[in-house]
Amino acid sequence: LMFKATQAALRCITLKAQILFSDYTNENFKASPPAVNFKLTGETDGIFQIQPDGLLYHNKTLDRETRAVHKLQVSALDAQGTVVEGPVPITIEVKDINDNRPTFLQKKYEGSVRQNSRPGKPFMYVNATDLDDPATPNGQLIYEIVIQLPKINNIMYFQINNKTGAISLTLDGSRALDPSKNSNYNLVVSVKDMGGQNENSFSDSTSVDIVVKENIWKKPEPVEIFENLTDPHPIKITQVQWNEPGAQYVLVDKEKLPRFPFSIDQEGVIYVTQPLDREEKDSYVFYAVAKDEAGQPLSYPLEIRVKVKDVNDNPPTCPSAVTVFEVQENENIGSNIGTLIAHDKDEENTANSVLVYRIVDQVPALPKEGLFLVQTYSGVFQLAEQSLKKQDTPQYNLTVEVADKDFKTLCHVQIHVIDINDQIPIFEKSDYGNLTVTEDTVVGSTILTIQATDGDEPFTGSSKILYRITQGDSDGRLGVDTDPQTNAGYVIIKKPLDFETAAIHDIVFQAENPEPLVYGVNYNSSSSATFKLIVTDVNEVPEFSQRIYQANVGEDVAVGTKVGNVTARDPENLDVSYSLGDNRRGWLKINPVTGEISTVAPLDREAESVYRVQVVATEVGGSSLSSTAYFHLTLSDVNDNPPRLAKDDSGLFLCHPLQATGTVIFEATDDDQQSFRGPQFDFSLGSDMLQNTWEVSRINGTHAKLCTKHTDFEERVYNVPIRINDRGQPPLEGIVSLPVTFCKCVEGSCFRAAGHQSGMPTVGMAVGILLTTFLVIGIILAVVFIRIKKNEGKDNVESAQASEAQPLKN
């Protein structure tokens, strides 16, 4: 390289280290007379020299690690050795090569880790250095654990950050390390330069001895605290401790309680800060966390469990203001009447919540006191002395004492004596005769009222009557509703009656009570009644098996193809004839006997994708009643429509004369059903003869552009044939004519001079039309004026006007 040295020139030369001078292209300087020689000064280190002819060279191997940059100056000298130009500063940067191996700072490292330490949390570091340039791959170091001893079950317990040398536990190591089984581990760690990616990289290794220490970061035993403590708070309840000093402790309440009554100090001592109430909350679960100085967790949180122990601080409570029991008047002595269940908020299954029941008062005390007893611990009430009579005393009021070991509460119990069900319902008559109804009687109609009576206490389960049909209605077409006030039974139609199924129903009713009868009393014939239901026939319309029939065929099926079948049945078993209604396109026909539907004309999905017709079933004979169903024929698409232009493109134009090749864009469409991707058309010229004039290229599935290949066009309309292929199955294509107008343009729009068009009048014709129009208007005005004068004038004026008007009338 040849450079001319000047005062302002700065030369920066990058030399590759350890390359001999003979291998390097030298730097040559030249100076203008009177300069005849050069002088080199600066950080030459005896390596760099310059010859009298300006050749700068080095005579020894360079070492970037000794000096990475050499600052030199070159001056031009005359024959007397006087500086005539310069000095010119020169910076020589020595480029690094990988000539130094990485070296660990220690041949052996020692460290320790607690069992169950957090995975990924570094507990020690190894460090290596490399004299090569750290900004290049030569100085980029990668660490790796190559040996772990012992390696149990081939599982690595330790891991290393390949860039920082930080050693930490793996997830397996955090779970499995146990000093009681193995407390010492040895690692062999290697380091490589070149980012470990080059087979020629240098490496070094070191030994790491690790001692596993017992983890003292363990959750404490569950804590029990009595509620309502009166000692001064806070009170120490337990303690946690991290493996090393200096940890910061915090408590985490994952329940997000509105009142969290615990705290922890920096020695790990946990306190309860206020009295607790077991009835408010009987246990607490929270977590203790140890953090480092940066606020990062040192390990997993410890679960702290606190159980609040009960003291007897709650009295028993009654289930309600008054507890009501019922007892039948013939109840046996010792029978259970009911259970009074009182509550105590103190802890269950402890002495604090054991309740004792005792009757302290009975009102009225008739026929004597002590008619009832209550079991001491269960609260079960029993009849103690004798059977009761509702006529004597319909109600008793008891006061019951409920007590735990420290508190007493009075509860109130009412016992109602109820009538026993010893009377059966009796029908007012046993036979309700015959009833005739038509089979089309509306569902929900009441057809009969029946009545039974019961001698038990009104408006109780013993006197309420329920009616059910026991015979003659196996299909459940009838039902009976009971009037709650009068016990009358209303026989209603629940399902449509059917003469063809059963014309006569012999109905048997049974009247019963919801309450069971007392022992020894049974229902008999007095609780039963009968009637005969006669159903008369009604001529009914034919019934289709379904209201809408559906089928799916391709639109290209052959004429005469069967596409569906409908069936209808006449309830009177008459024959049925089928016909189609609303068959507006005339595509289908139906066999009047079998109901088979077939095509009679070609189908077209593009005209109608779902073809809907009415199917009419008419009974043959009888009243010729008919019913209607619907047949829906869904047409699947076939590729039977060639592509076409999506719109009228007569407005496409290019400005004439063309200054450069022009382009117009057009769009295609297809009447067939498209996939979810939309149309995917291919475009080409419709004639090979136009290849030198036009070019068509596809933009997307629906658009293409037409480009001119030259500029030599006349000012007129060119109809360019375009071939469009739809890629269908089978593919269809069409050739369309795309009109492109070449015209003069004004402000970007096509300008066409106005000329005579067929159907437009000439100037002479326009003048004639205008004069004729004025003449007709004048005549009309004259007639109007004459008629006005005729109505307003005298007789002589009228005669004059008449003579003037006569020619007009003629």
Side-chain angles (χ1 to χ4, degrees):
L1 297 177
M2 306 296 290
F3 295 92
K4 183 176 181 181
T6 62
Q7 184 78 28
L10 174 63
R11 302 291 184 237
C12 179
I13 305 171
T14 300
L15 301 180
K16 189 172 183 180
Q18 296 185 347
I19 294 181
L20 297 179
F21 170 75
S22 59
D23 298 328
Y24 180 69
T25 302
N26 303 300
E27 187 79 7
N28 198 298
F29 294 88
K30 286 188 176 182
S32 301
V36 296
N37 198 359
F38 294 94
K39 179 182 179 183
L40 180 66
T41 57
E43 298 170 341
T44 63
D45 294 345
I47 297 175
F48 294 96
Q49 295 181 346
I50 191 168
Q51 294 181 352
D53 60 0
L55 180 66
L56 177 64
Y57 63 97
H58 65 90
N59 55 21
K60 295 181 182 178
T61 300
L62 301 176
D63 185 4
R64 191 201 67 82
E65 287 71 40
T66 301
R67 188 188 295 275
V69 178
H70 294 263
K71 301 286 187 179
L72 308 177
Q73 298 85 34
V74 175
S75 302
L77 308 178
D78 60 13
Q80 288 74 35
T82 303
V83 175
V84 295
E85 287 188 61
V88 175
I90 300 173
T91 299
I92 298 178
E93 296 179 357
V94 182
K95 187 176 181 180
D96 185 45
I97 65 171
N98 190 26
D99 59 345
N100 291 280
R101 63 177 293 183
T103 304
F104 278 104
L105 299 183
Q106 300 175 213
K107 287 300 180 182
K108 187 174 185 179
Y109 290 84
E110 295 180 349
S112 63
V113 63
R114 295 279 182 180
Q115 69 177 129
N116 304 127
S117 292
R118 181 160 61 90
K121 175 73 175 178
F123 61 86
M124 67 178 298
Y125 289 82
V126 295
N127 298 99
T129 60
D130 191 314
L131 295 177
D132 290 319
D133 188 356
T136 68
N138 302 330
Q140 293 180 2
L141 305 183
I142 296 296
Y143 298 91
E144 180 185 8
I145 297 176
V146 294
I147 298 176
Q148 170 192 296
L149 297 175
K151 192 174 184 181
I152 302 171
N153 297 326
N154 202 33
I155 297 175
M156 291 296 293
Y157 292 158
F158 303 91
Q159 59 188 351
I160 190 169
N161 186 307
N162 64 357
K163 291 184 173 57
T164 65
I167 299 177
S168 61
L169 294 183
T170 63
L171 181 60
D172 290 324
S174 176
R175 294 172 175 172
L177 285 182
D178 186 349
S180 64
K181 297 179 180 179
N182 196 338
S183 61
N184 294 283
Y185 288 84
N186 177 258
L187 306 179
V188 175
V189 179
S190 73
V191 62
K192 293 183 180 181
D193 60 13
M194 301 295 289
Q197 302 299 315
N198 192 308
E199 62 181 7
N200 296 322
S201 60
F202 293 113
S203 65
D204 192 15
S205 62
T206 188
S207 176
V208 180
D209 291 334
I210 299 174
V211 177
V212 180
K213 297 181 178 180
E214 181 183 3
N215 180 24
I216 60 175
W217 179 248
K218 299 178 180 179
K219 73 175 183 178
E221 294 295 324
V223 179
E224 292 186 349
I225 308 173
F226 279 105
E227 64 175 329
N228 303 327
L229 290 177
T230 58
D231 296 342
H233 288 71
I235 299 173
K236 176 182 176 180
I237 59 173
T238 189
Q239 185 174 7
V240 296
Q241 184 178 355
W242 177 242
N243 296 309
E244 306 293 342
Q248 300 175 6
Y249 302 98
V250 294
L251 297 182
V252 177
D253 171 26
K254 291 192 175 181
E255 295 181 282
K256 305 298 181 184
L257 299 174
R259 182 175 66 92
F260 183 65
F262 301 97
S263 65
I264 189 170
D265 63 18
Q266 291 312 303
E267 299 300 324
V269 178
I270 299 175
Y271 302 88
V272 59
T273 59
Q274 60 193 48
L276 305 180
D277 184 357
R278 193 205 68 85
E279 287 70 44
E280 177 183 330
K281 187 171 177 60
D282 62 357
S283 66
Y284 295 84
V285 178
F286 53 93
Y287 297 85
V289 180
K291 297 184 178 182
D292 59 18
E293 62 278 359
Q296 296 298 314
L298 292 166
S299 185
Y300 53 84
L302 298 183
E303 181 183 78
I304 311 297
R305 289 187 171 271
V306 177
K307 178 182 178 181
V308 184
K309 299 187 68 176
D310 186 46
V311 297
N312 192 23
D313 58 347
N314 291 280
T317 58
C318 304
S320 59
V322 178
T323 301
V324 178
F325 298 138
E326 290 184 345
V327 57
Q328 289 187 343
E329 57 183 352
N330 69 333
E331 199 73 59
N332 295 326
I333 295 175
S335 297
N336 291 347
I337 299 172
T339 303
L340 177 65
I341 303 177
H343 301 281
D344 192 310
K345 292 184 178 179
D346 292 314
E347 187 173 1
E348 294 182 0
N349 303 318
T350 67
N352 297 331
S353 60
V354 174
L355 302 181
V356 176
Y357 298 86
R358 183 171 67 92
I359 297 174
V360 297
D361 190 23
Q362 172 191 310
V363 177
L366 297 175
K368 61 180 180 180
E369 292 187 353
L371 292 177
F372 308 95
L373 64 82
V374 61
Q375 294 183 11
T376 304
Y377 293 103
S378 66
V380 175
F381 281 75
Q382 294 174 294
L383 190 61
E385 290 291 336
Q386 65 183 50
S387 296
L388 307 177
K389 294 293 183 181
K390 180 172 182 178
Q391 292 82 355
D392 297 337
T393 306
Q395 177 179 305
Y396 291 89
N397 295 308
L398 306 180
T399 302
V400 182
E401 177 188 271
V402 184
D404 61 18
K405 67 177 185 177
D406 297 313
F407 299 95
K408 296 179 180 180
T409 301
L410 296 180
C411 297
H412 300 283
V413 176
Q414 279 186 2
I415 299 179
H416 296 170
V417 182
I418 61 174
D419 183 36
I420 61 175
N421 190 16
D422 56 357
Q423 301 291 321
I424 64 172
I426 299 175
F427 273 100
E428 63 179 5
K429 55 183 178 180
S430 60
D431 188 354
Y432 283 87
N434 299 338
L435 178 64
T436 301
V437 296
T438 59
E439 64 177 331
D440 62 350
T441 302
V442 177
V443 172
S445 301
T446 299
I447 61 174
L448 180 67
T449 301
I450 58 178
Q451 181 72 61
T453 58
D454 192 299
D456 289 312
E457 182 181 359
F459 307 111
T460 66
S462 298
S463 63
K464 182 179 180 180
I465 298 177
L466 301 178
Y467 300 94
R468 62 187 181 93
I469 298 173
T470 60
Q471 293 181 26
D473 186 28
S474 59
D475 294 332
R477 298 181 186 274
L478 303 180
V480 184
D481 292 339
T482 301
D483 187 322
Q485 300 299 320
T486 65
N487 271 339
Y490 303 106
V491 182
I492 62 173
I493 297 178
K494 292 172 57 179
K495 297 180 181 178
L497 302 176
D498 187 5
F499 170 83
E500 288 74 25
T501 302
I504 298 176
H505 299 263
D506 292 315
I507 305 297
V508 177
F509 297 110
Q510 178 71 36
E512 299 173 344
N513 302 128
E515 283 287 333
L517 295 172
V518 297
Y519 180 77
V521 178
N522 299 300
Y523 296 107
N524 56 38
S525 60
S526 299
S527 300
S528 298
T530 63
F531 94 105
K532 180 174 289 187
L533 177 63
I534 302 172
V535 180
T536 59
D537 187 30
V538 174
N539 192 14
E540 299 170 275
V541 299
E543 298 174 351
F544 280 97
S545 60
Q546 59 193 74
R547 177 157 178 77
I548 298 177
Y549 296 83
Q550 299 187 57
N552 192 324
V553 298
E555 62 175 326
D556 59 344
V557 298
V559 173
T561 301
K562 176 185 174 180
V563 295
N565 199 90
V566 299
T567 57
R569 185 190 68 85
D570 184 73
E572 287 74 37
N573 292 322
L574 296 175
D575 291 335
V576 175
S577 174
Y578 301 97
S579 61
L580 295 181
D582 196 23
N583 188 17
R584 60 191 181 284
R585 294 190 182 274
W587 287 352
L588 303 176
K589 71 175 181 179
I590 189 169
N591 187 306
V593 177
T594 65
E596 181 179 288
I597 300 176
S598 57
T599 63
V600 294
L603 307 179
D604 186 2
R605 189 204 66 84
E606 288 69 39
E608 196 159 356
S609 60
V610 180
Y611 189 52
R612 298 174 175 87
V613 295
Q614 290 182 344
V615 182
V616 181
T618 305
E619 63 182 16
V620 179
S623 302
S624 298
L625 297 179
S626 63
S627 61
T628 302
Y630 295 90
F631 181 74
H632 294 176
L633 181 61
T634 301
L635 303 182
S636 302
D637 187 47
V638 297
N639 194 27
D640 59 350
N641 289 277
R644 58 179 176 80
L645 292 176
K647 55 188 176 181
D648 179 15
D649 286 316
S650 60
L652 298 177
F653 70 92
L654 294 171
C655 294
H656 186 274
L658 285 178
Q659 303 301 318
T661 57
T663 299
V664 294
I665 295 175
F666 62 94
E667 179 184 2
T669 188
D670 190 323
D671 294 324
D672 289 315
Q673 185 176 11
Q674 302 299 331
S675 66
F676 70 96
R677 296 176 55 208
Q680 297 294 320
F681 297 130
D682 291 325
F683 302 88
S684 62
L685 286 174
S687 172
D688 293 338
M689 298 176 60
L690 301 177
Q691 296 288 344
N692 296 328
T693 304
W694 302 94
E695 180 181 15
V696 177
S697 56
R698 185 173 183 266
I699 298 176
N700 54 35
T702 57
H703 290 74
K705 59 183 178 180
L706 176 66
C707 305
T708 65
K709 283 193 168 183
H710 56 78
T711 60
D712 187 17
F713 288 88
E714 298 177 4
E715 186 179 354
R716 64 178 179 86
V717 177
Y718 288 80
N719 290 303
V720 184
I722 305 295
R723 177 180 288 105
I724 308 175
N725 186 296
D726 63 5
R727 300 186 183 180
Q729 295 295 331
L732 291 180
E733 67 179 26
I735 296 180
V736 299
S737 179
L738 184 68
V740 181
T741 302
F742 287 81
C743 58
K744 290 184 171 61
C745 291
V746 176
E747 297 181 354
S749 298
C750 186
F751 174 77
R752 297 188 179 101
H756 176 69
Q757 300 181 12
S758 71
M760 293 186 62
T762 62
V763 175
M765 293 172 63
V767 172
I769 292 171
L770 185 60
L771 292 176
T772 302
T773 301
F774 287 151
L775 178 60
V776 171
I777 294 173
I779 293 173
I780 293 172
L781 291 176
V783 171
V784 173
F785 178 75
I786 292 170
R787 289 186 179 275
I788 292 174
K789 291 297 183 179
K790 178 179 179 181
N791 293 334
E792 294 179 352
K794 305 274 185 183
D795 291 340
N796 56 346
V797 176
E798 291 174 356
S799 299
Q801 288 177 340
S803 63
E804 293 178 3
Q806 188 64 37
L808 290 176
K809 290 180 180 180
N810 291 337

